[in-house]
Every structure is written in structure tokens, then in C-alpha cells.
Amino acid sequence: MTKPIYIINGPNLNLLGTREPEIYGHETLADIEAMCRDAAGERGIVFSQHNSEGAIIDQLHKACGYGSAVLINPAAYTHTSIALHDAVKAIGIPVIEIHLSQPAAREDFRAHSYVAMGAHGTVSGFGAQSYLLGLQAALNLV
Ligand code: DQA
């Protein structure tokens, strides 16, 4: 049985479309989900969004076992969460970090990612396209 790609979105990404569109674009999270579902084809995706850190970690644990790889946009937890870093390293399937914007080109507090240290790779700065590029990479890996 082929296992789907888990796509996990962190806090405030439910507000995409209206949240600082000059930075994050005009696509809603539902638009991004539809694009990814289309691009994943028969492999399929499990797409979710969570505002709390623990819920993201629970979803990463589910991906280990039920998923073949993970795309994660950890949003602000990228820059703060050792717990996410540990979970990414613990699950034993490829994890690709995604960002709509290019955090390294923004405020200093966005320059460091705890998730990148455990991720297979990172795609950032391409708006909604970051998800499609990351998905392509994940499909090639699995
Ligand atoms: C983000 C970048 C983060 O720094 C920020 O906290 C977000 C979104 C992005 O997709 O560009 O919420 O992950």
C-alpha cells in the first residue's frame, strides 16, 4: 500500500489569503491544499493545520507509520521549538521544511530554524509554489 504525504501547517496559516498578503500571497490554505492534492496524484496527501505546538507534534507522530514523508510549514514554531526539532528527528521518515516567505531575509528572529536541523531539506521564498516544489521533492524521495 502506498502511504500518503503528510502536509502539516502551523499557527496562523489558517488565515492565509488575508494575513499580510504582501508577504504570504493571496492564496488561502484551501487553495494550497487543492494544488497539492492535484499534484500528489494517486499517492495522496493528508493535509492539516494546527495552531498549537502539541497538535503539530501529534500529527508528526501519526505521519510516522501512516505517511511516507512530511512537508511541514511550522510557521513561528520554526524559530522557537526544540520539541518540534526533536519530533522531526524522531519519526524516521523524510521531512521537508516549507516556507512561503524567505525567513532568512526578514527579521533577525526568523534567521534560525530548529526544524531545519532535522529536516531533509527546506524550500522557502516561493509563495504557494514552495509547497509544490517541496511536494515534488518528497515524491522523488519516496
Ligand atoms: C512562515 C515564516 C515564519 O517566520 C512565520 O512565522 C510564519 C510563516 C512562512 O511560511 O513564510 O508564520 O513559516
Side-chain angles (χ1 to χ4, degrees), residues 12-33:
N12 301 307
L13 294 173
N14 52 313
L15 301 179
L16 285 180
T18 55
R19 177 192 177 199
E20 298 183 274
E22 65 288 357
I23 296 175
Y24 298 117
H26 292 278
E27 289 89 354
T28 65
L29 199 59
D31 294 335
I32 292 174
E33 177 175 359

Side-chain angles (χ1 to χ4, degrees), residues 70-126:
V70 172
L71 298 193
I72 183 166
N73 183 345
Y77 292 131
T78 308
H79 318 297
T80 62
S81 178
I82 297 169
L84 263 188
H85 164 97
D86 287 349
V88 162
K89 288 184 87 164
I91 61 172
I93 57 174
V95 175
I96 297 172
E97 180 181 352
I98 302 294
H99 297 285
L100 296 145
S101 67
Q102 169 64 305
R106 298 176 61 196
E107 299 96 329
D108 288 350
F109 61 81
R110 296 185 205 274
H112 180 260
S113 167
Y114 283 100
V115 172
M117 298 163 80
H120 192 96
T122 301
V123 183
S124 63
F126 299 99

